[in-house]
Amino acid sequence: MEKQALLYEGKAKKVYATQDPQLLIVSYKDDATAFNGLKKGVIQGKGVINNQMSNLLMAELEKRGVPTHLVRELNPQETLVKRVSIVPLEVIVRNLAAGSFSKRYGVEEGLAFAEPVLEFSYKNDGLGDPLLNDDHAVALKLATREELAVIRAYALKINRLLQGIWADRGIILVDFKVEFGRLADGTIVLADEISPDTCRLWDAQTREKLDKDRFRRDLGGVEEAYRQVMERLSSGL
Ligand code: TMP
Ligand code: ASP
C-alpha cells in the first residue's frame, strides 16, 4: 500500500490517500503543540513511539471487543487505517483530577474519583474545543443520541481495559482523550491515536508524570518519559 495525495495535515499527524478509497495512511510527526497550537516544539522520536504505542493498544482493544480503525502498521512511523469520518467530539475519561478539570473546578491534581468522569468537548480549534453535553452535541448535529450512547459505552470500556494494561506496568492512567469515527456504513469505531500525547500517565510509585504534560509544563525529560512508557508497555504485551 502506497501513499498518494496528502489529504490532511494536523498538528501531530499527516493523513494520505491510498489506491483503496476505504483505506488511508497515517504518518506520525515528531512535532508537538500545546494550548491550541500556541506552544510549539519537537519531541525527538515521538512519531515512532506514538505510532507503535497506539497500534499496540488498539490491537489489544480490538481483541477485547472495541472496534478500531487499525488495519496494520506499515513501518515504524506509518499505519494503514480504515477511512472514517471523524465525529467532532473529544471524548475524555478521567480517573483522577488533573489538567483542565483541576483548573475549572478548583481541585488538587491527583484527587481520585469514585467513578470515572466522562466529558465531551467540541473538536473545534477556532472555538478552543469547548466543553459540551449530550444535548449540545445533538443540537449541533455532531452525533445522534444513539451514537452518543455507543461512544460513551466504548469510552468507559476503553478506560477499564487501558487502566488494567497500565496498572500491570506500574502506571496510573489519570485521564485520556479519544476520538471516534464512522465507517461508510455508519459503524462507530475508535480512531485517532492513544499515546502519551493523549493520555496522562503517572508512575504508580513516584507519581512522576510520564506524558505530554512534561512538554506542556516545561518539566524536562520529555523524550525520556516517552521512551520509558513505551518500554514498559512493550515488556509483556
Ligand atoms: P485536559 O485536562 O487538558 O482537558 O486534558 C484531558 C486529557 O486529554 C489529557 O489526557 C490530555 C488529553 N488532551 C488531548 O489529547 N488533546 C488536547 O488537545 C487536550 C487539551 C488534552
Ligand atoms: N494538542 C493540543 C494543541 O496544540 C493541546 C494539548 O495537547 O495540550 O493545542
Side-chain angles (χ1 to χ4, degrees):
M1 203 55 77
E2 282 182 17
K3 284 186 283 192
Q4 295 190 339
L6 175 66
L7 297 180
Y8 169 80
E9 176 158 9
K11 287 177 284 206
K13 296 188 282 295
K14 292 183 192 174
V15 180
Y16 295 90
T18 67
Q19 307 89 291
D20 183 334
Q22 297 314 323
L23 298 176
L24 302 175
I25 292 174
V26 179
S27 179
Y28 285 72
K29 308 196 284 188
D30 285 352
D31 298 347
T33 65
F35 315 118
N36 206 3
L38 275 177
K39 181 184 172 94
K40 290 190 172 69
V42 169
I43 301 175
Q44 291 293 340
K46 172 169 91 76
V48 169
I49 289 173
N50 285 10
N51 181 46
Q52 295 180 338
M53 184 180 296
S54 195
N55 292 342
L56 283 171
L57 292 173
M58 286 206 193
E60 281 297 309
L61 293 175
E62 274 280 358
K63 265 200 248 167
R64 304 184 206 182
V66 180
T68 76
H69 70 164
L70 176 65
V71 178
R72 68 173 183 277
E73 193 167 291
L74 296 175
N75 62 55
Q77 213 149 342
E78 293 179 334
T79 295
L80 188 65
V81 300
K82 295 176 188 164
R83 181 194 282 266
V84 297
S85 79
I86 288 284
V87 177
L89 291 173
E90 302 211 331
V91 182
I92 295 163
V93 183
R94 302 178 187 272
N95 298 304
L96 277 68
S100 68
F101 185 100
S102 289
K103 201 167 168 202
R104 184 178 314 116
Y105 301 113
V107 291
E108 219 178 296
E109 283 207 319
L111 171 78
F113 303 135
E115 303 173 22
V117 174
L118 188 144
E119 63 190 42
F120 295 128
S121 289
Y122 181 15
K123 189 172 154 64
N124 183 322
D125 281 346
L127 297 175
D129 299 336
L131 196 64
L132 44 62
N133 68 22
D134 287 43
D135 286 0
H136 297 141
V138 171
L140 294 168
K141 296 196 162 51
L142 308 181
T144 64
R145 293 260 172 222
E146 294 70 30
E147 286 176 329
L148 291 174
V150 170
I151 287 172
R152 184 181 303 276
Y154 282 151
L156 293 173
K157 180 167 183 178
I158 292 165
N159 183 51
R160 285 194 302 275
L161 296 172
L162 293 182
Q163 260 191 321
I165 290 171
W166 287 117
D168 289 346
R169 289 159 180 81
I171 289 173
I172 301 169
L173 177 64
V174 175
D175 57 31
F176 62 92
K177 183 267 301 180
V178 281
E179 295 179 22
F180 293 87
R182 300 178 186 98
L183 299 177
D185 68 359
T187 308
I188 296 282
V189 301
L190 177 63
D192 193 48
E193 67 179 272
I194 306 177
S195 72
D197 275 17
T198 61
C199 301
R200 286 196 172 92
L201 302 167
W202 293 358
D203 182 278
Q205 297 288 316
T206 64
R207 301 217 140 200
E208 191 190 355
K209 298 184 197 316
L210 299 170
D211 57 64
K212 194 177 167 190
D213 270 348
R214 302 204 71 84
F215 169 79
R216 295 189 187 98
R217 302 179 188 190
D218 294 321
L219 300 176
V222 185
E223 278 89 357
E224 171 53 27
Y226 276 65
R227 269 199 304 275
Q228 203 194 119
V229 276
M230 184 63 206
E231 238 165 66
R232 289 214 221 168
L233 177 66
S234 356
S235 61
L237 256 189

